[in-house]
Amino acid sequence: MRKGWVAGALAAVAAATGLAMNLCLYRGPTAEFLQGKVSFFYQHADDPGTPGIELSEGALAFDLRRQLDSDLRGFTLGAKGEARLYNVAFVRGRVEGTGSLRQYLRAPEPLYTYGGLDAALDTAHFQPWLEAQAGLGYGRFYNVTPLLRVLVLETKLLERGVLTDALTDELRLKLAEIAGRQEQVQPLPERVASVVAVLNDHLRGRYPQGLDAATVLLVEQVLAESHPERYCGWTVQGGFAYRLLDPQGRPRDLLFSLALDAAIAPERYSQLLLRTRITGPYGFTEQYTLSLDVSFNVQIQGNVTFSSQYSLFLEKPRGQAPAGTQKAQFQLEIVGGWIGLSLKMEFSKVAEAPTWRQAIVISTTAYLGW
């Protein structure tokens, strides 16, 4: 029992040191970013004792993003949209799409040129919105999930008593470099063997014959299992934009464009993502289009997760007040044993509305058996 208590204490120390280590210290050769979310909400209430339907509305929304960065090239594809429903019928929708290509001037320098297209279709307008951009950018994104896998492996090795002390940051990064190698470069069995070889060298004094088969199997399980993807990095870019199609019928002026994207993994259980962009003529005061998306998710415990998202879209024509939408979502999910609980809150507002529209849903499920 005492041995188990000591192993548990060491694992707790490892978790604390793992949380203290900055995941963004890891720099992989390539970065793949894939994120997607689809949500549906509908509520309906009809009391036979009163005329008409009291409440019947909902929404279907999605947000997808795919990004890949190599030493010299990269691309980003994104799409998001929302469909509003009323009385089980479609009333309004908006779909947005973006695509861009990046050419880095020299590896591993983060300076690049870019070109791309942004499009949007709103059923409130008779034609879509289409804009082309080109310019210069600076920065890179990195997939830091390999380092997350190493921290998970370290914690499990401490729990089993294989390790008696936490690994150094230098050794963690060395193992993360091996864990992050692509399948076509080094298949999983070879990566497992490389990780085991590094650990055997580190623990040579304690295990002169090398790690046992059970520990090797644990290494393979950790490297093979899917962990929540974690990303770090940022890009800032500026250039010119030209509207090919404009539903407002405004002149097709050459515009300036500024954008900032950022990803932060504060610790192994959370992820913060930011996307913002503004376009307009010189000065950006009389006419502009602004979009902002911020999302945050955190695994509070193994069975408790919290996520939030805020989005803003504003469009200000020359000589007119800004018009657009704001939306905020918060969701808490708890699943443990025989009971599950979900709390979702959604707040939305259009520019001309004086107050926020609110929707709150709480659901719980209990699983009983005899």
Side-chain angles (χ1 to χ4, degrees), residues 16 27 32 50 130-131 162 184 191-192 200 216 230 240 245 253-254 261 268 314 330-331 336 345 354 363:
R27 295 288 187 269
E32 282 194 77
T50 59
L130 181 63
E131 187 177 89
V162 177
Q184 58 268 32
R191 275 179 284 152
V192 173
N200 281 334
V216 174
R230 295 289 180 256
F240 298 97
L245 294 174
D253 297 330
L254 189 65
D261 286 12
R268 70 169 82 174
L314 280 181
F330 306 91
Q331 184 166 331
M345 297 182 291
S363 63

Side-chain angles (χ1 to χ4, degrees), residues 187-211:
L188 178 62
E190 296 182 13
R191 275 179 284 152
V192 173
S194 298
V195 169
V196 171
V198 173
L199 290 175
N200 281 334
D201 185 63
H202 176 67
L203 299 171
R204 185 181 305 168
R206 190 175 183 198
Y207 300 98
Q209 303 300 321
L211 299 176

Side-chain angles (χ1 to χ4, degrees), residues 251-292:
R252 298 182 181 179
D253 297 330
L254 189 65
L255 305 173
F256 294 96
S257 174
L258 295 174
L260 170 65
D261 286 12
I264 303 172
E267 36 83 20
R268 70 169 82 174
Y269 299 109
S270 61
Q271 179 74 72
L272 175 66
L273 300 174
L274 167 69
R275 287 179 283 174
T276 181
R277 181 170 176 269
I278 183 171
T279 59
Y282 177 76
F284 295 100
T285 55
E286 292 299 321
Q287 177 184 337
Y288 62 83
T289 300
L290 171 66
S291 62
L292 171 67

Side-chain angles (χ1 to χ4, degrees), residues 55-74:
L55 181 65
S56 183
E57 60 185 6
L60 172 66
F62 69 92
D63 191 349
L64 309 172
R65 189 180 184 189
R66 174 82 165 91
Q67 181 170 325
L68 175 64
D69 280 305
S70 62
D71 287 341
L72 292 175
R73 296 176 182 85

Side-chain angles (χ1 to χ4, degrees), residues 83-101:
R84 284 286 173 181
L85 307 174
Y86 184 74
N87 286 341
V88 203
F90 173 79
V91 291
R92 183 173 180 178
R94 178 179 175 86
V95 179
E96 301 175 32
T98 181
S100 64
L101 296 174

